[in-house]
């Protein structure tokens, strides 16, 4: 199967600790990198991951709280120092370009590449990126400021050629791409050879949903139903339910409820409050509701 990986760069919340970096992730889709949020220290973690900076062309910012975007300016500057020439596109709720323009104008006035900002609406799901292999759709969340998660959906790949059948029917090389795309083959004598005789089905498409800072929100369930991997914030344990509501965050138990009701294959929880020295408590609470739950941690790579 084609590469589809999630790399956790940081999984802490707003208050810095020695245990966790602020929120940031990278999706590696067929060797194209997509960063989700860019908290402080993201570029250092990106180096540790050994992912190639040059393959990162799109960054998705869920909301304009510092622990999700304070690392962005440093990353932009570093790309300039490295002599980057490819355009970098930053997708975010309204307001990020206005905030960054003065800093870019002062510190990065001679950048060797173009930085573009694309704003998205946070009230309704919308398609904000598409290429030949993936689509990215927003997931409206409910936080103290406008906030969205992101749904990465792989596009169907090619059919798999059955080499023996291709040889048997003496299919010319120039027909192979058409057949991979699902076309039948017509022999020189006019005989139609069905595609199903020449190929096997493409690999199943895979999906990853990222649900950043949000109060418990059952509306999420329908949009993330059946995804292969769900990241959902789990800032607090259930004993801090009142605090979670007050700050528009979720508990581990609530995150697990979303995963269970949506029928996801695997749930990863993160965005841990600094009050927890050991996130095992959060894992136990989530696993009691949805056993297929794992803890995010820096350096973790999950195959989707």
């Amino acid at each position: 199967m084609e590469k589809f990986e999630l790399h956790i760069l940081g999984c802490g919340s707003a208050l810095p600790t020695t245990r966790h970096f602020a929120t940031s992730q990278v999706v590696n889709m067929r060797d194209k990198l997509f960063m989700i949020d860019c908290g402080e220290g993201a570029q250092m973690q990106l180096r540790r991951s050994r992912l190639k900076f040059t393959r990162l062309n799109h960054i998705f910012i869920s909301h304009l709280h510092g622990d999700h975007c304070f690392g962005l300016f440093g990353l932009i500057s570093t790309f300039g120092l490295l002599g980057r020439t490819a355009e970098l596109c930053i997708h975010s709720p309204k307001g990020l370009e206005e905030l960054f323009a003065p800093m870019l104008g002062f510190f990065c006035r001679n950048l060797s590449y173009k930085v573009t900002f694309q704003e998205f609406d946070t009230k309704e799901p919308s398609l904000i990126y598409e290429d030949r292999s993936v689509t990215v759709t927003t997931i409206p969340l409910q936080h103290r400021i406008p906030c969205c998660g992101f749904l990465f959906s792989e596009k169907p790949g090619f059919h798999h050629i059955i080499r023996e059948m291709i040889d048997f029917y003496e299919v010319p090389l120039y027909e192979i791409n058409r057949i991979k795309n699902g076309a039948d083959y017509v022999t020189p004598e006019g005989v139609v050879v069905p595609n199903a005789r020449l190929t096997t089905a493409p690999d199943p498409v895979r999906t990853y949903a990222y649900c950043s800072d949000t109060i418990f929100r059952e509306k999420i369930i329908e949009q993330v139903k059946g995804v292969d991997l769900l990241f959902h914030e789990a800032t607090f344990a259930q004993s801090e339910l009142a605090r979670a509501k007050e700050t528009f965050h979720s508990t581990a138990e609530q995150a697990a409820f979303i995963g269970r009701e949506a029928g996801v294959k695997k749930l990863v929880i993160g965005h841990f409050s600094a009050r927890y020295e050991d996130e095992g408590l959060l894992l136990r609470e989530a696993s009691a509701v949805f056993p297929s739950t794992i803890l995010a941690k820096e350096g973790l790579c999950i195959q989707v």
Side-chain angles (χ1 to χ4, degrees), residues 1-2 4 29-30 32 130-135 152-160 177 180-182 200-207:
M1 296 180 75
E2 297 279 5
F4 192 166
M29 171 72 78
R30 304 180 188 180
K32 290 179 291 188
E130 182 175 15
D131 64 22
R132 290 180 298 176
S133 56
V134 66
T135 62
F152 287 76
S153 301
E154 184 180 34
K155 288 186 175 180
F158 296 117
H159 290 242
H160 298 291
N177 280 339
K180 283 184 176 180
N181 280 296
T200 57
D203 295 325
V205 295
R206 293 160 292 176
T207 47

Side-chain angles (χ1 to χ4, degrees), residues 9-245:
L9 305 186
C11 57
S13 55
L15 188 64
T17 71
T18 57
R19 300 187 308 280
H20 295 299
F21 283 80
T23 300
S24 187
Q25 302 181 357
V26 170
V27 172
N28 185 348
M29 171 72 78
R30 304 180 188 180
D31 289 321
K32 290 179 291 188
L33 304 184
F34 304 92
M35 179 174 280
I36 308 173
D37 283 335
C38 189
E40 188 176 357
Q43 65 171 311
M44 296 301 298
Q45 290 295 89
L46 185 58
R47 281 196 179 278
R48 289 192 176 105
S49 73
R50 301 191 179 277
L51 295 168
K52 293 186 177 181
F53 281 30
T54 54
R55 292 180 176 168
L56 174 59
N57 295 315
H58 292 268
I59 299 176
F60 299 88
I61 302 297
S62 62
H63 64 294
L64 306 188
H65 275 162
D67 56 321
H68 294 258
C69 64
F70 276 169
L72 188 56
F73 184 74
L75 185 64
I76 292 172
S77 178
T78 296
F79 281 169
L81 294 173
L82 292 172
R84 180 188 179 98
T85 57
E87 180 179 350
L88 179 66
C89 184
I90 301 169
H91 308 260
S92 75
K94 183 178 180 180
L96 188 63
E97 182 175 12
E98 182 180 355
L99 289 170
F100 269 63
M103 291 189 293
L104 290 174
F106 184 83
F107 290 103
C108 302
R109 65 185 66 175
N110 296 315
L111 275 181
S112 56
Y113 67 100
K114 185 178 181 181
V115 179
T116 60
F117 293 84
Q118 293 191 4
E119 297 178 346
F120 54 76
D121 179 65
T122 59
K123 295 180 181 178
E124 297 292 335
S126 61
L127 178 68
I128 58 173
Y129 176 79
E130 182 175 15
D131 64 22
R132 290 180 298 176
S133 56
V134 66
T135 62
V136 182
T137 306
T138 57
I139 303 172
L141 303 174
Q142 187 176 355
H143 195 41
R144 299 191 301 276
I145 62 174
C147 183
C148 272
F150 306 104
L151 175 63
F152 287 76
S153 301
E154 184 180 34
K155 288 186 175 180
F158 296 117
H159 290 242
H160 298 291
I161 292 292
I162 303 174
R163 177 53 58 186
E164 296 82 359
M165 299 305 292
I166 294 295
D167 293 341
F168 177 81
Y169 286 104
E170 299 180 340
V171 177
L173 186 62
Y174 63 81
E175 290 281 2
I176 296 298
N177 280 339
R178 292 183 61 255
I179 293 170
K180 283 184 176 180
N181 280 296
D184 297 331
Y185 171 60
V186 181
T187 70
E189 296 75 28
V191 177
V192 177
V193 181
N195 186 271
R197 194 177 297 171
L198 302 170
T199 68
T200 57
D203 295 325
V205 295
R206 293 160 292 176
T207 47
Y208 168 58
Y210 170 83
C211 293
S212 174
D213 301 19
T214 183
I215 199 169
F216 177 62
R217 182 175 169 86
E218 291 190 65
K219 287 184 179 180
I220 294 171
I221 293 172
E222 190 60 36
Q223 196 175 354
V224 304
K225 191 173 289 292
V227 300
D228 293 278
L229 179 65
L230 169 66
F231 174 90
H232 195 291
E233 74 122 290
T235 308
F236 296 107
Q238 198 65 17
S239 60
E240 299 291 334
L241 179 60
R243 179 64 176 161
K245 290 180 179 178

Side-chain angles (χ1 to χ4, degrees), residues 235-264:
T235 308
F236 296 107
Q238 198 65 17
S239 60
E240 299 291 334
L241 179 60
R243 179 64 176 161
K245 290 180 179 178
E246 178 186 355
T247 57
F248 282 75
H249 282 294
S250 298
T251 68
E253 184 177 304
Q254 290 172 332
F257 177 86
I258 296 292
R260 185 188 69 190
E261 295 304 300
V264 307

